[in-house]
Amino acid sequence: MSSSGRFHQPPSCRRPAALAQSLRASTTTVTCRWRQQYHHPLAAAPLRLRAVPVRATDAARQPFDHLSGAVKSEEGTHPRLKIAIVGFGNYGQFLARTMVQQGHTVLAHSRSDHSAAAATIGASFYADAHDLCECQPDVVLLSTSILSAEAVLRSLPVHRFRRSTLFADVLSVKEFPKNLLLAYLPGDFDVICTHPMFGPESARDGWAGLPFVFDEVRVGDGPARRARADAFLDVFAREGCRMVEMSCAEHDAHAAETQFLTHTVGRMLATLDLKSTPINTKGYETLLRLVDNTCSDSFDLYNGLFMYNNNATELLHRLESAMDSVKRRLFDGLHEVLRRQLFEGSPPLNRDSSFPAESSLDDGR
Ligand code: NAP
């Protein structure tokens, strides 16, 4: 995707001092696409970003350059990261495609054998988590189902990663993984919780303008950590995502409506088995698309939105009572017409229609 087509981008700004120093040989100013400015000390610190862009499939063989920090991509503009994606299903692969295209080295680990898919994308697959750890990724990105996240995290030998690894997640709920990551990871790890609010369906035409929510739960002091966090967030910013920084709790409150409601309505409509007709209205086509968009995700994903968002139960109750209140309004109106016909002798609305049978007036209440 062309980076010239970015939407909603705030003015560019310089990267933190350490990264700027590491790039001082380059004449290109590295831009920050989602922040107005940084407030970091001008101290130089060794960067952990690798010096050489590598082919993804060579990932395990590349030396990791802790000390030089000199990062120069072919474009001369952005650092390359070594990103380990844990949970290489539908979504992990979707993200990997863009990361590889951006020149990052992507390592994948998953319960199932996704080595063929990884090879097609240009990532390296590691069936054994210990082998993954030995590759010393800069970033570990958790992309498992919400329901399996705790078991997956527990199964990782996290102490074998480098001491200051950046751990991030893309789970569609946020308070739950935040608490998990803080509970299971060593205190030295940086933690960024994220939710790209789009998927393979809704981002079929690219990520530009689509919201990316993030919460920097713990990013340690020091320009190197700051630069790495920024380089990771830049994966999304450089595609034109609308970068939205908000707390995990705030995300979950909003997501109950924006996401759980959308998925619930999509799944309800799917049970009606709606078909395209020769007289589709725009609104009806929107409904058909909603069914497609929501039901192409796994039921595990939907179930996770319910199980691990505190606000989901209340939303379901509200949805039920909204349906009741709409029905009540319709049936109250109908009862009123019938009462008038029965007791006041006013003419039926439609003389041709037969009097509604009592059973058809029963709305189940
Ligand atoms: P998903 O059904 O939520 O997750 C599938 C992934 O979870 C696969 O990598 C699968 O591994 C792994 N997994 C499931 N059960 C497991 C278990 N018991 N043990 C170990 N691993 C297990 O579908 P998804 O669409 O790929 O989503 C992945 C994550 O991204 C979820 O947390 C979801 O909330 C988030 N997300 C998805 C979207 C989207 O549009 N799809 C958008 C934003 C965020 P294997 O494939 O190896 O079996």
Side-chain angles (χ1 to χ4, degrees):
M1 176 187 308
S2 160
S3 58
S4 61
R6 290 175 194 130
F7 302 158
H8 308 292
Q9 303 293 18
S12 63
C13 62
R14 287 195 67 81
R15 289 235 169 224
L19 181 55
Q21 283 193 4
S22 75
L23 292 168
R24 64 187 177 276
S26 162
T27 52
T28 313
T29 300
V30 178
T31 56
C32 162
R33 297 174 177 77
W34 65 97
R35 290 218 174 80
Q36 296 293 330
Q37 57 184 3
Y38 287 98
H39 303 283
H40 293 291
L42 291 177
L47 276 171
R48 298 194 309 94
L49 305 173
R50 284 169 308 109
V52 188
V54 294
R55 283 184 299 120
T57 45
D58 289 342
R61 295 192 292 277
Q62 294 304 318
F64 196 93
D65 186 353
H66 298 264
L67 299 175
S68 81
V71 181
K72 199 167 174 229
S73 70
E74 278 146 19
E75 301 156 317
T77 54
H78 71 280
R80 310 293 201 204
L81 291 168
K82 197 191 276 188
I83 303 171
I85 299 182
V86 174
F88 206 60
N90 186 31
Y91 205 62
Q93 292 175 28
F94 165 73
L95 293 176
R97 267 179 220 108
T98 297
M99 290 169 177
V100 168
Q101 274 161 20
Q102 288 184 1
H104 300 293
T105 297
V106 176
L107 321 172
H109 169 68
S110 213
R111 170 185 62 170
S112 313
D113 179 5
H114 291 296
S115 50
T120 309
I121 291 167
S124 319
F125 188 79
Y126 296 87
D128 186 327
H130 289 270
D131 293 338
L132 181 82
C133 295
E134 277 168 21
C135 295
Q136 306 266 284
D138 302 302
V139 181
V140 180
L141 183 61
L142 191 64
S143 180
T144 57
S145 68
I146 299 167
L147 302 180
S148 67
E150 181 163 10
V152 170
L153 201 53
R154 247 190 294 116
S155 74
L156 288 180
V158 289
H159 286 94
R160 299 202 60 195
F161 288 120
R162 204 155 350 134
R163 204 154 46 88
S164 76
T165 302
L166 166 59
F167 230 93
D169 82 287
V170 291
L171 273 56
S172 305
V173 292
K174 293 275 51 85
E175 274 286 280
F176 169 64
K178 173 183 139 184
N179 294 334
L180 269 188
L181 295 177
L182 290 178
Y184 283 101
L185 296 179
D188 282 331
F189 281 29
D190 287 348
V191 175
I192 300 184
C193 290
T194 82
H195 184 196
M197 309 275 313
F198 51 84
E201 278 295 315
S202 52
R204 212 181 294 132
D205 302 324
W207 302 3
L210 300 173
F212 175 83
V213 175
F214 67 100
D215 184 0
E216 294 188 354
V217 173
R218 185 171 67 204
V219 175
D221 288 338
R225 285 176 182 253
R226 179 71 261 156
R228 179 182 57 191
D230 287 341
F232 169 66
L233 293 172
D234 199 45
V235 168
F236 300 89
R238 65 186 300 107
E239 293 299 319
C241 287
R242 185 158 56 80
M243 307 297 284
V244 183
E245 187 164 16
M246 82 170 41
S247 73
C248 292
E250 210 183 333
H251 165 278
D252 284 359
H254 289 306
E257 293 196 346
T258 60
Q259 200 183 25
F260 181 64
L261 175 64
T262 308
H263 279 250
T264 301
V265 173
R267 295 221 167 239
M268 280 163 47
L269 293 174
T271 66
L272 300 180
D273 197 20
L274 304 176
K275 299 272 188 300
S276 186
T277 78
I279 54 166
N280 287 356
T281 60
K282 293 268 178 224
Y284 186 71
E285 282 184 349
T286 306
L287 295 187
L288 293 179
R289 269 201 308 278
L290 179 64
V291 173
D292 275 354
N293 280 346
T294 50
C295 296
S296 57
D297 288 330
S298 70
F299 191 80
D300 266 7
L301 197 163
Y302 176 58
N303 198 13
L305 299 180
F306 172 67
M307 297 279 283
Y308 291 97
N309 186 336
N310 265 333
N311 312 284
T313 308
E314 192 216 326
L315 199 279
L316 267 191
H317 290 320
R318 280 170 57 205
L319 190 60
E320 255 179 336
S321 81
M323 184 67 187
D324 279 347
S325 109
V326 169
K327 272 169 67 183
R328 197 171 308 120
R329 198 163 162 205
L330 291 175
F331 284 97
D332 284 354
L334 182 60
H335 287 157
E336 186 55 35
V337 170
L338 290 173
R339 250 190 308 275
R340 260 190 265 127
Q341 287 174 9
L342 284 173
F343 300 112
E344 298 165 20
S346 56
L349 284 179
N350 178 353
R351 285 176 188 284
D352 294 337
S353 66
S354 55
F355 193 81
E358 198 172 341
S359 60
S360 70
L361 299 178
D362 180 9
D363 65 357
R365 279 176 292 137

